[in-house]
């Protein structure tokens, strides 16, 4: 027979683990780069930009459009990588807490 109290306990445990995992996302750090490493952007698991390095040759150049495009590309790569790492972290942190129900993806809860 279905044990509602046991299920509620699992839900509470999952909520706690999910909160803990989300709090740890700020500690995940990933990097995206463009222009052969001329621009490097660093983001955390919350998809926040936390660092940006621009090669001197770009700063001294006059092609602002190219520099802008390289910065955007590097930031976008870092944010995509941060999203992947964050989802992996949440999945790993909540693994085994709930039964595997087809179509139920908890990674969207972040």
């Amino acid at each position: 027979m279905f044990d509602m109290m046991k299920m509620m306990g699992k839900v509470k445990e999952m909520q706690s683990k999910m909160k803990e995992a989300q709090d740890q996302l700020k500690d995940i750090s990933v990097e995206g780069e463009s222009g052969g490493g001329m621009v490097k952007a660093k983001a955390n698991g919350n998809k926040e930009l936390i660092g940006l390095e621009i090669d001197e040759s770009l700063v001294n150049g006059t092609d602002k459009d190219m520099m802008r495009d390289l910065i955007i590309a590097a930031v976008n790569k870092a944010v995509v990588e941060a999203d992947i790492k964050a989802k992996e972290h949440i999945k790993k942190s909540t693994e085994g807490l709930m039964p595997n129900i087809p179509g139920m993806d908890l990674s969207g809860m972040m």
Side-chain angles (χ1 to χ4, degrees):
M1 186 75 185
F2 185 69
D3 186 351
M4 185 59 109
M5 293 304 285
K6 185 175 181 181
M7 179 68 167
M8 293 304 287
K10 283 285 189 187
V11 168
K12 218 156 194 30
E13 182 182 355
M14 185 191 71
Q15 287 175 328
S16 174
K17 288 282 188 182
M18 184 71 98
K19 171 85 171 93
E20 181 181 324
Q22 287 174 332
D23 289 344
Q24 294 170 347
L25 292 178
K26 69 182 180 318
D27 299 326
I28 293 173
S29 177
V30 295
E31 190 172 277
E33 63 177 54
S34 64
M38 293 174 72
V39 176
K40 296 178 184 177
K42 191 179 281 191
N44 65 20
N46 289 325
K47 300 175 220 154
E48 299 168 330
L49 185 65
I50 58 173
L52 184 63
E53 294 179 32
I54 302 170
D55 189 273
E56 277 296 313
S57 64
L58 285 176
V59 176
N60 294 330
T62 57
D63 193 352
K64 291 179 184 179
D65 288 335
M66 181 181 77
M67 184 168 81
R68 183 194 67 229
D69 291 344
L70 291 174
I71 291 169
I72 290 169
V75 169
N76 286 336
K77 286 179 184 180
V79 169
V80 166
E81 187 64 24
D83 187 48
I84 292 167
K85 294 287 186 185
K87 286 180 180 176
E88 289 172 0
H89 177 73
I90 295 292
K91 184 176 180 178
K92 183 180 174 188
S93 296
T94 59
E95 197 170 57
L97 291 177
M98 293 297 285
N100 187 9
I101 301 171
M104 185 175 176
D105 181 13
L106 298 177
S107 64
M109 294 176 67
M110 332 183 310

